[in-house]
């Protein structure tokens, strides 16, 4: 536990999105990868550098990245850390580049698909508010 999970992004405002603890790692990394302006080859190179608490194949990683892009947010229900669920959303700068990723954590038994969608909608609202403030941050 406590392994860093980081992924480089080509954002002009933030070069690395990272989390140094185990809880939100997978949801954070997947959301960051989904919305960073990176090719699959770049994502593969970054994937090899991530120190996962529970490793997964690159194919599964890309499935989660594509689903996160489609849905607009990431979710991890106990895959990274047993008993913990995390929902992650991207936060963009004023130019539309990935700035940060915000995650919310809960006990996995508190998560439901409906609650996850509602939480993600709330977090995306927060994300939009932060994007509006990004020029002054």
């Amino acid at each position: 536990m406590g392994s860093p999970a980081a992924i480089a992004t080509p954002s002009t405002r933030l070069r690395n999105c990272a989390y140094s603890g185990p809880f939100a790692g997978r949801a954070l990394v997947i959301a960051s990868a989904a919305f960073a302006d990176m090719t699959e080859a770049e994502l593969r190179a970054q994937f090899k550098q991530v120190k996962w608490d529970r490793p997964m194949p690159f194919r599964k990683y890309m499935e989660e990245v594509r689903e996160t892009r489609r849905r607009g947010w990431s979710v991890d229900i106990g895959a990274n850390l047993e008993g913990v669920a995390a929902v992650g959303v991207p936060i963009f700068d004023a130019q539309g580049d990935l700035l940060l990723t915000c995650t919310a954590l809960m006990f996995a038994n508190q998560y439901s698909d409906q609650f996850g969608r509602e939480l993600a909608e709330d977090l995306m609202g927060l994300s939009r508010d932060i994007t509006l403030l990004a020029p002054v941050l």
Side-chain angles (χ1 to χ4, degrees):
M1 287 200 310
S3 306
I7 188 163
T9 68
S11 170
T12 56
R13 301 196 68 177
L14 184 70
R15 294 290 176 202
N16 290 294
C17 295
Y19 179 77
S20 61
F23 300 114
R26 186 166 172 161
L28 183 141
V29 171
I30 297 293
S32 297
F35 297 103
D37 186 21
M38 298 174 77
T39 66
E40 187 167 327
E42 291 170 319
L43 290 173
R44 182 181 294 275
Q46 290 300 319
F47 174 82
K48 290 178 182 179
Q49 296 177 27
V50 175
K51 293 177 178 47
W52 301 98
D53 287 328
R54 293 184 179 178
M56 69 174 132
F58 182 72
R59 176 191 50 74
K60 172 70 173 155
Y61 170 77
M62 285 307 300
E63 286 173 13
E64 291 189 26
V65 167
R66 283 189 286 276
E67 176 61 16
T68 296
R69 282 182 187 144
R70 184 195 66 73
R71 185 177 46 222
W73 50 277
S74 64
V75 63
D76 172 24
I77 309 164
N80 185 54
L81 190 63
E82 190 171 336
V84 175
V87 172
V89 301
I91 300 173
F92 300 101
D93 65 16
Q95 290 75 41
D97 294 320
L98 182 66
L99 178 63
L100 299 167
T101 303
C102 177
T103 55
L105 308 172
M106 68 210 77
F107 293 112
N109 64 354
Q110 295 173 314
Y111 182 87
S112 69
D113 289 342
Q114 180 178 339
F115 181 72
R117 283 189 302 273
E118 291 170 358
L119 180 58
E121 288 173 18
D122 289 344
L123 290 174
M124 288 188 286
L126 175 66
S127 171
R128 288 187 292 275
D129 291 344
I130 293 171
T131 296
L132 292 173
L133 295 173
V136 292
L137 295 179

